[in-house]
Amino acid sequence: MLAGALASPLGVYADVLPDKQSVNISQQNGKITGVVEDSMGPVIGASIVIKGTTSGIMTDLDGKFTLNDVKRGQVLQISFVGYKTKEIAYTGQTTLKIFLEEDSQALDEVVVTALGMSRDKKSLGYAMTELKGDEIAKVNSPNPINGLQGKVAGVQINMGNSGPQSSQRIIIRGNTSLGGNNQPIFVIDGIIIDNEVTKTGAGQDWGNDLKNLNADDFESMSVLKGAAATALYGSRAANGVILITTKQGKTGKPSVSLKADWGFSDFAMDYREVMGGEERRNLIYDGLVADGMVHKKMTEAEAREYADGEIDDYAPKPWCGYIDWDDVLFQKGSHQTYEASITGGSDKFKYYSSLGYLKQEGVALNSGLERITGRVNVDYQATKRFSLGVKALFANVNQDVNDEGTSYTSPFYTSKSAVTPSDPVYNEDGSWNRELIRIADRNPLLSATYDYRREHLTRAFNTVYGQYEFIDNLKFKTTLSYDYTLSKGDRWYDPRTSNGEDLNGDMKKVFYEYRKLVWENALSYQATIANNHHLDVLAGYETDMYDRDHLSGESSNFARY
């Protein structure tokens, strides 16, 4: 008669009662070592994944890999950019030698490389990954960089915790410096943009400037990783380059596109679960009993009497029942997006224009972003040899953030490390509870209700270019770009909260203005010889000029309500 079953990573076993002969059924998992090669030798960074799972590994510098716990019948998927994906069924092999074939369709694709030059993928001499704008826009994130998450090998993206707008820290192929900036440079339509984190408002993380861009305006986003790919940008590109190309007009009748999107967001999993109120009370009670018996040399009965008298100082039962502070300090996030664009033109004149609205509420209180963006791209072929164009962006952003770090007003810290289930939000008479067990009078919901941090940002990023082709493929292009950002930050501590009561209210305002002018000139020549040899010659000169103005003021002692 079957008594029970036990599942193990090494197999499945069934146990029976001793009076019957035992039966042992096992399914052993295997270990595979192998190498992935192409016609040129080992393939570095190829992905080997067990189909239908998230288990996998990448090949090392020799194209080798080791994969453990593979079950018979499972299928291995081997893939790499520019090659056809290969599938191999596991039947007990211990070693594999895998040959990948080039995907001619992918390699014939034309991509945009450094300084706006277009090339076939197969003719590139460096590592590059390109994503289409539609793939980036599907992520529905205020910061388009999040669209790269999980789609480009070797790219790591970390997000700040101040809300939907918080800065995205992106690392390509690991850190190159222990103390310096390890982020790549960002190039939009050939112009390097400032991607620093805005620190308006008492050093608060307001996110980097990419949040001002609308991903629906992107034609493509390319990640350049190799040294040869970044050579044209000098030492600034030591950490890689992310190229963004915006949409251009297309020949034909006007085409109008409308888009509306709504959605909700929440934690994918419980974030650092904490004990419930009764569970916490019982644990502390047991600790008090142990303290009485071990340190105070009491009998068990005396220790329990001691614990009964002390427990309400540490874990009382609140008048309203135990509190789940996650329900108090967090909410269901939401977003809504509306986009309208029009494109069209003739052989000589092409245009693309768009208008977008985004509103997103974060899962934490006082975290959200509202953004309006507008873009106009115009290209005009004046003569057979001469063309010019304009690319203009306007963005207006309003956002709220909450505190970070170990501040009691930081919801992520407070809900796990400061408040307890025994702390009610309100007293029985409806007033705010100002006697919390760990943090005294610092009620985090009281602060979230009356205190705030806000930023209002206006940005204009305009580019004008002219290009003349002297002979076929010999071109001179001059580009003038002006980037302007005005940011105003407000921080208010209300006199009714513990932040502001000692100061009788405190207001801080910060103004930040950024201006950058770029003039870029490039003479280029491209030629293909005998279909297999490519010649690129480029001579360029660039002048950058920028300045920043920063002004802040703080005042306290306001009239009370």
Side-chain angles (χ1 to χ4, degrees):
M1 184 173 70
L2 185 65
L6 171 66
S8 163
L10 296 178
V12 178
Y13 302 92
D15 296 330
V16 296
L17 294 176
D19 58 345
K20 297 285 185 88
Q21 183 178 0
S22 63
V23 179
N24 185 9
I25 306 171
S26 66
Q27 179 181 338
Q28 297 295 327
N29 299 341
K31 174 181 177 182
I32 304 176
T33 59
V35 61
V36 179
E37 298 179 342
D38 63 3
S39 57
M40 302 295 291
V43 177
I44 304 171
S47 173
I48 299 93
V49 178
I50 299 176
K51 188 174 182 179
T53 73
T54 57
S55 299
I57 198 170
M58 298 178 68
T59 55
D60 60 19
L61 295 176
D62 298 317
K64 296 179 180 179
F65 68 93
T66 300
L67 199 59
N68 297 310
D69 296 329
V70 185
K71 299 178 181 178
R72 287 180 180 269
Q74 288 185 320
V75 176
L76 304 182
Q77 282 186 328
I78 303 93
S79 60
F80 191 70
V81 176
Y83 293 84
K84 295 179 180 179
T85 299
K86 198 164 190 175
E87 294 188 353
I88 298 176
Y90 176 62
T91 58
Q93 310 98 309
T94 56
T95 59
L96 288 174
K97 186 173 183 179
I98 303 164
F99 184 83
L100 292 183
E101 298 178 358
E102 292 183 350
D103 187 343
S104 58
Q105 182 177 358
L107 293 175
D108 287 337
E109 180 183 356
V110 176
V111 296
V112 177
T113 64
L115 299 181
M117 294 187 296
S118 299
R119 294 291 301 273
D120 293 341
K121 273 189 176 181
K122 63 184 178 183
S123 64
L124 297 179
Y126 46 81
M128 174 180 176
T129 303
E130 181 183 79
L131 295 178
K132 297 301 182 183
D134 293 342
E135 297 180 62
I136 303 295
K138 286 178 182 178
V139 177
N140 280 324
S141 170
N143 198 316
I145 287 300
N146 284 332
L148 296 176
Q149 187 74 272
K151 295 184 175 70
V152 181
V155 172
Q156 176 185 352
I157 299 175
N158 297 320
M159 181 175 179
N161 65 355
S162 64
Q165 78 295 328
S166 60
S167 59
Q168 317 299 312
R169 184 172 181 268
I170 178 170
I171 303 296
I172 298 177
R173 289 183 172 177
N175 293 330
T176 58
S177 169
L178 293 177
N181 180 17
N182 288 295
Q183 293 211 95
I185 62 172
F186 294 81
V187 183
I188 300 180
D189 293 324
I191 303 297
I192 298 176
I193 68 166
D194 176 50
N195 191 39
E196 294 182 359
V197 173
T198 307
K199 290 293 185 182
T200 307
Q204 188 66 35
D205 176 7
W206 297 101
N208 54 47
D209 285 341
L210 288 183
K211 70 178 183 297
N212 307 325
L213 304 179
N214 183 359
D216 283 282
D217 290 334
F218 291 4
E219 183 69 34
S220 66
M221 182 184 290
S222 303
V223 180
L224 280 62
K225 308 174 188 177
T230 59
L232 292 173
Y233 293 106
S235 60
R236 295 176 295 181
N239 302 308
V241 180
I242 293 182
L243 299 175
I244 298 173
T245 304
T246 58
K247 292 180 179 179
Q248 306 298 308
K250 298 179 180 179
T251 303
K253 295 180 180 180
S255 175
V256 177
S257 175
L258 301 174
K259 171 186 173 182
D261 181 81
W262 303 271
F264 299 93
S265 59
D266 202 351
F267 290 104
M269 58 185 294
D270 289 332
Y271 174 74
R272 293 185 181 177
E273 291 185 79
V274 297
M275 289 185 290
E278 196 63 38
E279 184 183 5
R280 177 177 176 273
R281 182 182 171 92
N282 292 336
L283 181 65
I284 293 176
Y285 183 86
D286 292 340
L288 290 170
V289 172
D291 178 58
M293 296 177 65
V294 175
H295 297 105
K296 302 184 184 301
K297 308 303 181 184
M298 296 177 177
T299 65
E300 182 177 352
E302 292 173 332
R304 291 193 177 277
E305 183 179 354
Y306 163 73
D308 289 337
E310 296 288 329
I311 186 63
D312 285 338
D313 290 338
Y314 299 97
K317 294 183 178 181
W319 67 271
C320 55
Y322 292 112
I323 303 298
D324 185 345
W325 279 92
D326 281 354
D327 292 339
V328 175
L329 298 177
F330 296 99
Q331 62 189 359
K332 297 290 185 183
S334 65
H335 74 266
Q336 50 183 309
T337 307
Y338 307 93
E339 308 281 353
S341 65
I342 182 171
T343 182
S346 61
D347 292 338
K348 285 193 171 237
F349 182 80
K350 300 182 180 66
Y351 60 89
Y352 169 84
S353 181
S354 71
L355 183 66
Y357 174 80
L358 167 71
K359 185 174 183 180
Q360 184 162 2
E361 296 290 339
V363 294
L365 298 180
N366 294 336
S367 64
L369 178 143
E370 185 178 33
R371 182 185 70 197
I372 298 174
T373 58
R375 172 173 287 279
V376 176
N377 287 353
V378 175
D379 297 285
Y380 177 59
Q381 189 72 39
T383 67
K384 180 180 178 181
R385 298 286 185 182
F386 178 64
S387 61
L388 65 158
V390 175
K391 302 177 190 295
L393 164 72
F394 174 82
N396 182 267
V397 180
N398 297 300
Q399 56 190 23
D400 294 280
V401 302
N402 47 60
D403 283 340
E404 297 185 351
T406 57
S407 166
Y408 86 94
T409 52
S410 167
F412 294 95
Y413 170 78
T414 296
S415 62
K416 310 303 177 186
S417 303
V419 294
T420 74
S422 295
D423 291 318
V425 180
Y426 305 98
N427 297 317
E428 285 191 76
D429 60 3
S431 61
W432 291 96
N433 176 24
R434 301 296 297 274
E435 297 180 359
L436 285 80
I437 294 172
R438 291 179 180 172
I439 53 178
D441 64 341
R442 298 182 177 94
N443 188 318
L445 183 61
L446 173 61
S447 175
T449 302
Y450 295 116
D451 297 341
Y452 62 80
R453 295 175 183 265
R454 293 172 183 158
E455 187 205 33
H456 315 279
L457 183 143
T458 301
R459 186 181 190 187
F461 180 51
N462 304 313
T463 302
V464 179
Y465 77 89
Q467 179 174 279
Y468 188 79
E469 188 173 19
F470 296 100
I471 59 174
D472 290 347
N473 298 321
L474 178 61
K475 302 174 183 178
F476 174 77
K477 184 176 182 180
T478 182
T479 303
L480 185 67
S481 174
Y482 183 68
D483 191 359
Y484 176 81
T485 301
L486 176 62
S487 177
K488 296 184 288 185
D490 301 329
R491 192 265 289 138
W492 167 247
Y493 288 155
D494 195 277
R496 290 168 288 186
T497 71
S498 57
N499 279 332
E501 63 182 353
D502 292 340
L503 299 171
N504 204 26
D506 186 79
M507 168 65 77
K508 182 173 184 179
K509 283 185 173 288
V510 180
F511 293 84
Y512 172 81
E513 190 175 33
Y514 173 82
R515 297 173 294 272
K516 182 178 181 181
L517 183 68
V518 178
W519 184 31
E520 183 182 277
N521 298 279
L523 181 67
S524 63
Y525 180 74
Q526 290 180 290
T528 300
I529 304 171
N531 294 324
N532 293 319
H533 305 283
H534 304 279
L535 176 66
D536 287 341
V537 180
L538 175 70
Y541 177 79
E542 181 181 299
T543 300
D544 292 8
M545 181 180 68
Y546 70 89
D547 64 89
R548 296 182 175 95
D549 288 328
H550 186 274
L551 177 66
S552 64
E554 187 170 2
S555 180
S556 57
N557 198 24
F558 290 83
R560 288 180 177 264
Y561 291 93

